[in-house]
Amino acid sequence: MAMTRTRGLSKRFVPAAGAGTAAVGLDGQRSEVFAEGGWPSIRVFLEMRGWSPLQIDQIHEQLRQGWPLSQAVRQVSIRMGTCPLRSKSLG
């Protein structure tokens, strides 16, 4: 009589640990990480460039949807019809 063999699960594909787009900061809070860096540093960068809080929130939403920072900034400036004075292209 022959025994049936069952295969175990392969360890080739490892499930992601957590959400993947969040990291724990020094203060214990989770901060989002995008291709251009962590959200707190991107926010400070945009504030120094003169973007308003409303525009920064819109850019954050674009980044969450997967757009690169240069495209997110461009889309928000077109959608709102404004951008900071003396702003330079990010891309």
Side-chain angles (χ1 to χ4, degrees), residues 47-61:
E47 288 172 351
M48 288 190 323
R49 294 231 176 208
W51 292 91
S52 72
L54 180 61
Q55 291 169 327
I56 291 173
D57 290 339
Q58 292 292 320
I59 292 169
H60 191 199
E61 285 300 318

Side-chain angles (χ1 to χ4, degrees), residues 33-37 39 42 58-76 79:
V33 178
F34 302 101
E36 292 81 6
W39 173 243
I42 293 173
Q58 292 292 320
I59 292 169
H60 191 199
E61 285 300 318
Q62 295 291 319
L63 290 173
R64 285 181 178 162
Q65 293 175 10
W67 292 97
L69 181 59
S70 61
Q71 290 291 321
V73 167
R74 184 174 293 127
Q75 288 179 5
V76 169
R79 182 181 300 151

Side-chain angles (χ1 to χ4, degrees), residues 18-50:
T21 60
V24 178
L26 295 175
D27 56 359
Q29 294 181 346
R30 297 179 69 96
S31 64
E32 294 175 304
V33 178
F34 302 101
E36 292 81 6
W39 173 243
S41 63
I42 293 173
R43 176 182 281 278
V44 169
F45 174 75
L46 293 170
E47 288 172 351
M48 288 190 323
R49 294 231 176 208

